[in-house]
Amino acid sequence: GYKLKINSSKIIETVSKDTASNTSIYKTIVTVKIYLIDGDKIHKEKIFNESFTYNNMNNKFNLSQYQREIEVNLINKIIDQILIFLII
């Protein structure tokens, strides 16, 4: 049988700043690397990336909540892609 190895990362980066050098636009990027390993050989590997760009919010609690929702949505998109990858 195969072993499945998964590496993932999330980055929130500043896309744009206003005149006062405050972040006005963010981008969240989720990356997942999948490896199907047979013994000591990599049988299949693939990198999945999803990203979303959004405006900053004055209320930092709401921004944090929104960023969590974005992360979950990006992860769900990647999960769908991974399932298709594993079936093929």
Side-chain angles (χ1 to χ4, degrees), residues 2-73:
Y2 294 105
K3 290 183 182 178
L4 182 64
K5 181 178 178 183
I6 301 171
N7 292 327
S8 64
S9 65
K10 174 187 77 168
I11 299 170
I12 298 175
E13 61 184 32
T14 299
V15 175
S16 181
K17 292 187 176 194
D18 62 18
T19 54
S21 290
N22 297 315
T23 300
S24 58
I25 301 174
Y26 287 104
K27 183 177 191 177
T28 296
I29 304 164
V30 175
T31 303
V32 177
K33 296 177 185 177
I34 296 287
Y35 305 91
L36 273 178
I37 301 170
D38 186 13
D40 59 351
K41 289 176 60 179
I42 296 175
H43 177 69
K44 265 184 174 181
E45 67 180 285
K46 186 152 174 89
I47 299 172
F48 301 90
N49 286 302
E50 288 292 334
S51 64
F52 187 77
T53 304
Y54 49 95
N55 292 327
N56 195 0
M57 298 178 180
N58 290 331
N59 185 314
K60 296 307 171 194
F61 177 77
N62 289 345
L63 175 63
S64 178
Q65 295 281 77
Y66 188 54
Q67 287 175 325
R68 278 193 215 112
E69 289 175 26
I70 290 168
E71 182 180 357
V72 167
N73 290 338

